[in-house]
Amino acid sequence: MRLTLLFSIVLFTFFSCQNDNSEKGWKEIEVYDKLSKNPVFVKMKQMPEIIDLYYKNDFLLTRSAKVTYLRSRDKDFLEEYVDTVFNANVIIPHRDSLMVRISFSDGWAGNGVLLHIKRNQFNTNVFEFSDTQVVDELGNVIEPKLTTKIYNQKLILDKHAYEVGDSIYGKINFYLMQTTDLKETKDTFYYKGAGYFRAIIKKNYY
């Protein structure tokens, strides 16, 4: 229950913080109808899926995401954290929207990338969550304020439109900065990522 609440908060923050960078936050999607033929997807179909303990996964599935994710406190990434353990899930929250979640959770904490797609445009954000909470003197949970600045983002999909049950193939590339403001303490990280994902589109994550 706590993780469900935390992820809901992450989704709320994802939608609410777009005004911090409204001019550069959205970019047009590129479409390449032969994307699914890329040799990367052939290799992914021969690799076992990354099993996410937070979401339901089919143990017979093959790899859904091959993405490299970098995080650093400096914009030149001289010291960085690198992650490649992710799976991909895609839902249709509204008729003209898609939500792509490339992430991993061990049941207590997780991180990843969220792509919000609306018509022919998209927006990239990153998220991290855990079951550790910060509370005030009265025991109320304090939620961090996130500010995201996108320097570069690119998304290529294999089709212009999708429905529940469709297969989706995508290629992403992004570079952004995110500042967390929590209890008058600000913490800034830079993020880079690139790679491929594929999924069967669902109505919801569960």
Side-chain angles (χ1 to χ4, degrees):
M1 179 65 71
R2 181 182 296 178
L3 282 178
T4 302
L5 175 61
L6 285 171
F7 191 75
S8 298
I9 293 168
V10 169
L11 289 178
F12 172 77
T13 305
F14 172 73
F15 286 109
S16 63
C17 73
Q18 304 310 320
N19 290 332
D20 296 327
N21 191 38
S22 58
E23 186 174 338
K24 294 185 178 180
W26 294 85
K27 187 174 181 180
E28 189 169 346
I29 297 167
E30 299 180 25
V31 175
Y32 178 52
D33 61 4
K34 294 181 175 58
L35 181 62
S36 63
K37 306 300 182 182
N38 190 297
V40 172
F41 291 114
V42 176
K43 293 181 180 179
M44 289 169 62
K45 291 177 182 179
Q46 300 170 352
M47 303 167 65
E49 176 66 302
I50 301 296
I51 303 303
D52 193 318
L53 300 182
Y54 183 31
Y55 294 93
K56 293 181 179 179
N57 291 81
D58 187 340
F59 283 76
L60 300 178
L61 291 179
T62 53
R63 188 67 55 87
S64 59
K66 189 172 177 58
V67 174
T68 299
Y69 170 98
L70 292 81
R71 182 186 68 181
S72 177
R73 289 188 180 275
D74 70 274
K75 61 182 179 181
D76 296 320
F77 289 80
L78 299 178
E79 295 183 6
E80 61 190 29
Y81 162 80
V82 181
D83 198 349
T84 58
V85 180
F86 298 111
N87 58 48
N89 284 275
V90 183
I91 66 169
I92 298 182
H94 306 290
R95 177 175 294 182
D96 60 350
S97 301
L98 289 175
M99 183 70 77
V100 179
R101 181 182 60 84
I102 302 170
S103 64
F104 176 74
S105 169
D106 60 7
W108 291 271
N111 68 306
V113 182
L114 282 174
L115 304 175
H116 179 209
I117 299 169
K118 188 173 179 64
R119 299 187 181 92
N120 66 334
Q121 293 190 318
F122 78 102
N123 190 291
T124 308
N125 213 329
V126 295
F127 67 91
E128 297 177 356
F129 64 92
S130 73
D131 60 357
T132 301
Q133 298 178 326
V134 178
V135 299
D136 60 19
E137 294 78 3
L138 299 177
N140 299 313
V141 177
I142 301 176
E143 304 300 342
K145 178 183 178 181
L146 302 180
T147 302
T148 302
K149 182 175 182 179
I150 299 172
Y151 296 108
N152 182 52
Q153 59 179 344
K154 184 176 183 178
L155 174 62
I156 302 175
L157 296 178
D158 64 319
K159 294 197 302 184
H160 288 279
Y162 300 89
E163 297 181 357
V164 172
D166 286 352
S167 295
I168 181 172
Y169 292 82
K171 179 180 180 181
I172 64 168
N173 191 299
F174 65 88
Y175 173 35
L176 58 85
M177 177 186 71
Q178 189 176 85
T179 299
T180 303
D181 191 344
L182 181 63
K183 292 190 70 174
E184 302 180 354
T185 300
K186 289 188 177 182
D187 205 2
T188 297
F189 283 94
Y190 295 86
Y191 298 86
K192 282 184 178 181
Y196 298 81
F197 68 89
R198 64 191 183 101
I200 301 296
I201 297 176
K202 298 178 290 187
K203 180 61 179 176
N204 54 63
Y205 290 126
Y206 308 95

